[in-house]
Amino acid sequence: MNDRPLLELRSVEIAYGRVAAVRGLSLEVQRGELVGLIGPNGAGKSTTLHAIMGAVPISAGEIIVDGVGVAGRAPEAIARSGVALVPEGRRVFASFSVEENLRLGLAARRNGKDEHALEEAYELFPVLRESRRRPAGVLSGGQQQQLAIARGLVAGPRLLLLDEPSLGLAPAVVDSVFETLARIREHGVTVLLVEQRAQRTVALADRSYVLVNGELRATLAPADAGDTDRLVAAYLA
Ligand code: ATP
């Protein structure tokens, strides 16, 4: 039994020039967990994900993936170690078919191509199987988000970072994105989820960290989702 965290941030500081974006952030994600990182606009959530991927340098602290410090490594090396980011904004290749988009994820696998991963993705996202030959650009916003997540998954990551998957989607579609996240978690995939939809994230995640102005303000459990006062207090603290 390996109980060391899959991801650990220790007192991480990140700045853009002189502007501090993240200050003294510590958090952890255990294998199989879905952990939320929530907070208002500009809190430093996306910056934190980009730093984990090696795309933004940290100025202090440590980022540890499965016991190994990764700060300072190139993004490709971090990706090869099994960390995948699904960025904000549903970036799919619009003129490629759904299946071609998924095959790009397959090509990024660490352990060689595995057609079974495609089949698994279609089981998780039946709508993608139905649309597999259609250009990704004709899918609805919610379906494109499913495709972006599925592409991240077929790469077979040990840790999947999701940046605001519900952003810009209609409320009913947001429901389907959160259902998708619940299914991914049942699949045993380890996820760090950045979201602005605080209540839903807190309800879903094993634990949610509240980031405000680059600082950790609270750590919330699913039971706190119904406690609006506690949620608001965490944001305003
Ligand atoms: P949002 O939900 O709006 O994306 P966020 O919590 O993800 O918010 P970040 O995007 O990480 O927040 O931004 C944190 C801070 O860093 C903000 O003050 C933002 O203006 C600043 N920032 C982000 N990216 C850059 C950049 N490339 N250059 C300079 N400052 C940046």
Side-chain angles (χ1 to χ4, degrees):
M1 180 70 197
N2 178 357
D3 56 5
R4 101 183 141 206
L6 183 55
L7 172 70
E8 198 179 351
L9 269 58
R10 289 189 196 150
S11 305
V12 167
E13 308 266 341
I14 310 168
Y16 293 105
R18 287 178 168 188
V19 181
V22 172
R23 292 179 278 194
L25 178 61
S26 296
L27 59 78
E28 63 177 51
V29 181
Q30 301 285 343
R31 276 171 193 74
E33 281 189 324
L34 187 157
V35 170
L37 183 59
I38 59 176
N41 268 322
K45 307 181 298 295
S46 299
T47 296
T48 300
L49 294 190
H50 294 159
I52 295 167
M53 283 309 299
V56 169
I58 64 174
S59 46
E62 291 176 88
I63 299 178
I64 301 161
V65 176
D66 204 7
V68 178
V70 298
R73 288 200 184 177
E76 308 82 75
I78 294 172
R80 271 199 305 275
S81 78
V83 185
L85 169 68
V86 177
E88 202 177 289
R90 309 187 268 291
R91 284 178 219 150
V92 297
F93 292 92
S95 61
F96 287 12
S97 72
V98 165
E99 183 144 321
E100 284 165 344
N101 270 275
L102 290 176
R103 286 191 177 281
L104 288 173
L106 213 53
R109 280 181 83 84
R110 286 175 295 147
N111 308 324
K113 284 198 182 178
D114 178 0
E115 293 289 322
H116 187 64
L118 267 190
E119 197 43 46
E120 267 185 8
Y122 286 141
E123 274 165 30
L124 259 172
F125 306 96
V127 68
L128 297 183
R129 190 198 300 276
E130 289 158 27
S131 316
R132 65 213 270 187
R133 306 207 191 289
R134 303 176 72 201
V138 306
L139 301 184
S140 69
Q143 291 167 347
Q144 288 189 20
Q145 184 61 74
Q146 295 201 354
L147 177 56
I149 296 172
R151 192 178 58 199
L153 277 174
V154 296
R158 292 193 288 176
L159 173 65
L160 185 66
L161 309 175
L162 295 176
D163 198 353
E164 297 214 34
S166 79
L167 188 72
L169 297 175
V173 184
V174 172
D175 288 347
S176 77
V177 168
F178 274 84
E179 281 159 23
T180 300
L181 297 177
R183 273 185 285 139
I184 287 175
R185 178 250 212 92
E186 282 162 20
H187 241 66
V189 180
T190 307
V191 178
L192 179 59
L193 168 67
V194 159
E195 258 295 334
Q196 287 213 31
R197 294 188 195 255
Q199 200 156 20
R200 306 197 60 148
T201 301
V202 173
L204 173 72
D206 291 289
R207 185 166 62 263
S208 293
Y209 296 100
V210 183
L211 201 59
V212 180
N213 281 335
E215 288 181 21
L216 185 64
R217 290 292 167 85
T219 305
L220 302 177
D224 297 319
D227 186 346
T228 311
D229 289 347
R230 177 127 209 256
L231 265 178
V232 172
Y235 269 62
L236 300 180

